[in-house]
Amino acid sequence: DTEVTQTPKHLVMGMTNKKSLKCEQHMGHRAMYWYKQKAKKPPELMFVYSYEKLSINESVPSRFSPECPNSSLLNLHLHALQPEDSALYLCASSLGPGETQYFGPGTRLLVL
Amino acid sequence: DAKTTQPNSMESNEEEPVHLPCNHSTISGTDYIHWYRQLPSQGPEYVIHGLTSNVNNRMASLAIAEDRKSSTLILHRATLRDAAVYYCILRDVTGGSNYKLTFGKGTLLTVNP
């Protein structure tokens, strides 16, 4: 298995909803990442997990809450989002920190 | 992270070579040059990386200037499937920031049939 999977592919949520994005890889990678990409802009790093511990938080608002339950799984919990949070959320993984990153197809989120 | 400069867009014809330039005049000695690309409606995809010497793989070649202030990604025979945004990224692997990929604006490559 050489891919990063993300679910759901699309998500529409209201500003009072709570939802979660899921990312999974079975390549034995020990670093996992969340990126946010607005339309026609480059991806921007949000969080990095290394060996299941949060190692980088790029000053992301607390309405985004990451979780790494095990080395294969990465979640992003969403609560009280704003319309400007609508974006493509990309997950990536790498063998270790600093190694080549492999990206999933992303979850396209729309906040109403 | 050191800054890179790429043209906003480039056009190519199918089955012709494509040379995508990247300037990185403030590159440090420990910066690797990475290229990723993002096809429409997909996540970014690793293409190639190098430090000082030219590099080849099944996808592309990377030519690095002797002074390392610029590099060129070479697609030897462009296909329609190569139409994407190509990102040139510098990564310093000596410090704590080595986890990061800091994407610039990239070059939008259009391939004409």
Side-chain angles (χ1 to χ4, degrees):
Chain A
D1 191 344
T2 58
E3 63 175 3
V4 175
T5 59
Q6 291 188 243
T7 53
K9 284 187 167 43
H10 301 273
L11 179 61
V12 180
M13 60 186 290
M15 289 189 284
T16 57
N17 292 158
K18 283 186 183 181
K19 297 285 185 184
S20 296
L21 309 184
K22 179 179 169 183
C23 172
E24 205 160 0
Q25 56 85 17
H26 296 286
M27 296 180 279
H29 289 178
R30 303 309 301 269
M32 296 186 77
Y33 313 76
W34 281 115
Y35 288 82
K36 174 181 177 179
Q37 186 173 26
K38 301 281 280 183
K40 300 200 181 300
K41 298 289 187 182
E44 294 180 343
L45 182 67
M46 299 175 72
F47 301 104
V48 179
Y49 272 84
S50 178
Y51 297 89
E52 298 155 54
K53 288 186 169 38
L54 183 65
S55 58
I56 294 179
N57 175 343
E58 291 286 277
S59 303
V60 178
S62 60
R63 58 185 184 269
F64 295 91
S65 175
E67 179 197 20
C68 189
N70 59 58
S71 60
S72 300
L73 190 55
L74 185 66
N75 297 320
L76 186 63
H77 303 296
L78 313 172
H79 173 53
L81 294 193
Q82 304 296 310
E84 58 264 30
D85 296 320
S86 299
L88 180 68
Y89 288 84
L90 294 160
C91 174
S93 71
S94 63
L95 191 61
E99 303 281 345
T100 298
Q101 292 184 21
Y102 295 86
F103 285 80
T107 293
R108 195 162 296 279
L109 174 67
L110 178 61
V111 182
L112 300 176
Chain B
D1 290 316
K3 190 173 168 57
T4 62
T5 305
Q6 299 177 252
N8 289 334
S9 61
M10 290 185 66
E11 258 188 73
S12 172
N13 296 321
E14 206 174 4
E15 299 193 8
E16 289 185 358
V18 181
H19 291 234
L20 296 163
C22 181
N23 286 319
H24 28 78
S25 57
T26 59
I27 192 170
S28 76
T30 52
D31 281 331
Y32 278 78
I33 303 159
H34 289 248
W35 284 81
Y36 281 73
R37 71 180 185 181
Q38 189 170 18
L39 279 64
S41 302
Q42 294 190 27
E45 172 187 34
Y46 167 79
V47 177
I48 201 166
H49 76 279
L51 183 62
T52 55
S53 304
N54 294 345
V55 185
N56 301 298
N57 66 20
R58 64 174 181 80
M59 288 181 70
S61 295
L62 177 60
I64 301 172
E66 200 168 327
D67 63 5
R68 300 210 324 127
K69 292 184 186 299
S70 65
S71 61
T72 302
L73 179 71
I74 303 165
L75 307 179
H76 294 286
R77 286 179 74 239
T79 70
L80 297 178
R81 292 175 58 185
D82 291 321
V85 177
Y86 286 78
Y87 296 101
C88 170
I89 303 167
L90 300 183
R91 294 187 69 187
D92 181 352
V93 295
T94 61
S97 63
N98 67 357
Y99 298 176
K100 292 187 182 185
L101 279 180
T102 302
F103 288 82
K105 294 180 182 177
T107 296
L108 175 63
L109 176 65
T110 301
V111 180
N112 300 314

